Amino acid sequence: MNVLVFFKIGHVMVGLVELAVSCRLASLFLNEKECVPKWKKILSFMLVALCLGFMVIFVGPSSLTAFSVLGSFFIYHFVYYDGSLSKRIIVIALCGIIVAMSDIFSLMTFNKYRLGYPQASLAFETYWTLMGVGSKVICFMIINTIYRVVQYKKQGFKPVELILHASPIITLYIIELLMQSMIGTPYLQVSNAFTAVLTSMGLLFTNVFTWSVFDALIRNEREKQFYLMCQESVKQQYEFYRNQEAKEESTRRIWHDIHNHLQCVHELIRQGHSAEAHDYLVSLEKDISMLRGEIRTGHLIVDTILADKYGAALAYQIKMAIKVNGNLLNAIQDMDLCVIYSNLIDNAIEACQKNSLDEREILITTKKANHYTLIEIINSRSGDLIEQNGKFITTKQSPTGHGIGLSNVRQVVSKYDGDIMVSYTDTTFKVQIFIPLTKSI
């Protein structure tokens, strides 16, 4: 009799696992309450446990037991979740359907081991306990699969995450072996029954624990990625405002010095250097236009990139000259242009920061060279360079340099059957990209 009571308690514990997976389903439709008094948690859990215990011990497997258990789950969800009555009913209905499907599948899987055991016998209780564990494993797999797909669908869900859903199948396989080796006959020893039940239940709770750990890791990773994205967004906003501030400061400086500029132009004209005066005014007008973000190359995306990078260069007091014919870039995809210009100019700006203030210069050129579009970026540099696997590594303390992003540029250029050439002297670093004029993707 004591042995049978043990099995009844086992049924109750398996039912509590069913409660856990029902909460998993409820979290998809209902909102979890933030603050639930501890006494409500204890009382609701005890209510479910008592309901399970009473129905399992005194009523046994039946439709009444199933409805009573689902009713206790319904009350439990009232304590932990907020939501409309219709949604609560949907949750319980879905839970009942999934549990019923799991029971049916489990019966179909393990029915061959049911040899007409008399009720209340050791073999009967062992069989139904193992079958119940198998059913809950299947239920656990189904609800967790639904949860995973729905919960993370909008958050970059990766199908590879479903691999862990297959791990509980090991539990089903072990239950299959236990039934095959231990209850193939009604004459079952108590020790074997205990071993079979404890093993299967241990595996069931291991599945639950593994999933909880796995979910915690996934959640932490997603929160970490979200935090990094927020940081990157804040950084970009900071750089944008810093660039704007630099532009405004440079504009104020030009307007402050406008008297000196006019005197210089007047003196050139007085001395008969009209052409030089004209070039001076054109250069001054170009500087003011670029400070206002008015870079016009003939390609809108390139204009936007160059205006942003020009502001970044100003923030570090870097002189940037731009001679770009954007009409030659129409055959290149916008994303690829962003990779090419952004990476190369960022590298050039980083390299110039290591120079003294009067030696910070960048020249950006895009022109036609025979049957190719030539994109050329030259920047001043200082310090030694070490080339490793096509990447250039500076010997200074900061490891950033031309190697970063250059490999991405190479991949983009290869899409257009182009070529990239890198050369440098003691004072300059040059990157030249040749893309056939007839190529487009």
Side-chain angles (χ1 to χ4, degrees):
M1 186 65 181
N2 293 333
V3 175
L4 298 182
V5 171
F6 165 78
F7 284 107
K8 297 295 185 181
I9 295 174
H11 284 298
V12 174
M13 296 181 66
V14 171
L16 293 177
V17 173
E18 190 175 302
L19 171 64
V21 295
S22 74
C23 291
R24 188 75 139 175
L25 193 61
S27 64
L28 294 177
F29 296 88
L30 306 174
N31 299 318
E32 188 173 354
K33 294 181 180 178
E34 294 183 359
C35 298
V36 179
K38 191 173 182 179
W39 68 269
K40 282 189 177 182
K41 295 181 180 180
I42 297 174
L43 184 63
S44 59
F45 183 80
M46 289 180 61
L47 177 63
V48 174
L50 288 173
C51 179
L52 283 169
F54 178 82
M55 300 306 296
V56 167
I57 294 174
F58 296 102
V59 180
S62 65
S63 299
L64 178 61
T65 299
F67 283 112
S68 299
V69 171
L70 289 176
S72 65
F73 291 174
F74 185 82
I75 296 173
Y76 187 85
H77 294 164
F78 253 111
V79 175
Y80 278 85
Y81 300 96
D82 284 322
S84 63
L85 181 62
S86 59
K87 288 185 177 181
R88 294 178 186 276
I89 294 175
I90 290 174
V91 169
I92 293 300
L94 286 176
C95 187
I97 292 171
I98 294 173
V99 169
M101 291 174 56
S102 302
D103 288 341
I104 293 171
F105 190 83
S106 183
L107 282 170
M108 293 172 58
T109 304
F110 303 118
N111 192 53
K112 57 186 175 181
Y113 298 109
R114 186 182 179 187
L115 302 176
Y117 308 127
Q119 290 192 8
S121 66
L122 181 62
F124 178 87
E125 294 295 339
T126 304
Y127 167 79
W128 281 105
T129 301
L130 295 179
M131 196 282 295
V133 172
S135 173
K136 296 305 169 284
V137 170
I138 296 170
C139 179
F140 186 72
M141 292 170 61
I142 293 174
I143 290 183
N144 272 295
T145 301
I146 296 172
Y147 178 86
R148 182 71 60 201
V149 172
V150 174
Q151 187 73 8
Y152 295 128
K153 185 177 181 180
K154 296 181 180 180
Q155 303 179 20
F157 172 77
K158 297 179 180 179
V160 71
E161 293 178 5
L162 288 176
I163 293 176
L164 195 61
H165 287 274
S167 60
I169 295 177
I170 299 174
T171 301
L172 295 177
Y173 177 71
I174 293 176
I175 292 175
E176 170 87 12
L177 294 179
L178 291 172
M179 286 191 174
Q180 183 178 357
S181 62
M182 294 183 182
I183 59 174
T185 172
Y187 304 103
L188 177 66
Q189 295 181 2
V190 174
S191 60
N192 291 339
F194 270 106
T195 301
V197 171
L198 290 176
T199 300
S200 60
M201 291 184 62
L203 288 171
L204 175 60
F205 285 105
T206 299
N207 293 152
V208 176
F209 175 76
T210 301
W211 265 106
S212 63
V213 173
F214 178 73
D215 274 344
L217 292 174
I218 290 291
R219 185 165 54 253
N220 290 338
E221 181 62 24
R222 292 185 184 277
E223 290 176 354
K224 178 182 177 182
Q225 293 299 324
F226 179 74
Y227 173 75
L228 292 176
M229 288 175 60
C230 291
Q231 273 195 324
E232 183 63 25
S233 177
V234 171
K235 180 181 177 182
Q236 291 177 356
Q237 291 181 18
Y238 170 77
E239 288 295 330
F240 173 78
Y241 290 122
R242 183 179 180 183
N243 295 343
Q244 290 299 111
E245 183 180 357
K247 289 180 182 179
E248 293 176 2
E249 176 61 29
S250 297
T251 302
R252 286 194 296 268
R253 191 163 53 247
I254 288 178
W255 285 112
H256 180 268
D257 294 337
I258 195 68
H259 178 71
N260 296 329
H261 292 306
L262 291 176
Q263 278 191 330
C264 183
V265 172
H266 178 74
E267 184 64 24
L268 288 173
I269 295 175
R270 190 182 67 81
Q271 295 180 8
H273 302 294
S274 300
E276 288 80 355
H278 178 268
D279 292 341
Y280 189 95
L281 287 173
V282 170
S283 177
L284 181 61
E285 182 182 10
K286 182 178 179 182
D287 286 343
I288 295 175
S289 296
M290 286 192 294
L291 287 171
R292 297 162 70 182
E294 297 177 0
I295 296 179
R296 294 184 177 89
T297 66
H299 196 289
L300 180 60
I301 297 300
V302 176
D303 292 347
T304 304
I305 296 171
L306 293 178
D308 178 65
K309 301 305 178 184
Y310 187 84
L314 284 178
Y316 296 106
Q317 301 182 44
I318 300 172
K319 299 176 184 178
M320 180 180 290
I322 300 174
K323 301 177 181 179
V324 175
N325 183 358
N327 296 320
L328 298 172
L329 304 171
N330 293 326
I332 304 175
Q333 292 182 349
D334 293 343
M335 290 296 295
D336 294 334
L337 288 173
C338 185
V339 170
I340 292 173
Y341 281 98
S342 294
N343 280 286
L344 294 182
I345 298 175
D346 284 344
N347 286 341
I349 291 174
E350 289 176 2
C352 284
Q353 292 177 44
K354 303 179 180 69
N355 300 338
S356 59
L357 294 179
D358 58 341
E359 296 179 346
R360 297 182 178 184
E361 296 180 346
I362 298 175
L363 173 61
I364 304 171
T365 305
T366 301
K367 61 183 180 180
K368 182 179 178 181
N370 295 327
H371 300 292
Y372 294 89
T373 296
L374 170 62
I375 300 174
E376 182 180 73
I377 297 180
I378 305 173
N379 63 267
S380 56
R381 59 166 292 269
S382 61
D384 297 328
L385 286 174
I386 300 176
E387 185 175 2
Q388 293 181 357
N389 300 322
K391 294 184 178 181
F392 292 89
I393 303 174
T394 179
T395 56
K396 293 203 169 189
Q397 292 181 352
S398 176
T400 56
H402 294 86
I404 298 178
L406 194 56
S407 59
N408 293 337
V409 175
R410 292 184 189 276
Q411 292 179 4
V412 169
V413 173
S414 66
K415 288 173 54 178
Y416 299 88
D417 294 334
D419 194 15
I420 181 170
M421 297 178 60
V422 179
S423 60
Y424 57 93
T425 65
D426 292 339
T427 57
T428 62
F429 189 97
K430 181 194 298 184
V431 178
Q432 292 178 306
I433 294 174
F434 296 88
I435 296 179
L437 289 171
T438 56
K439 286 294 178 180
S440 63
I441 298 297

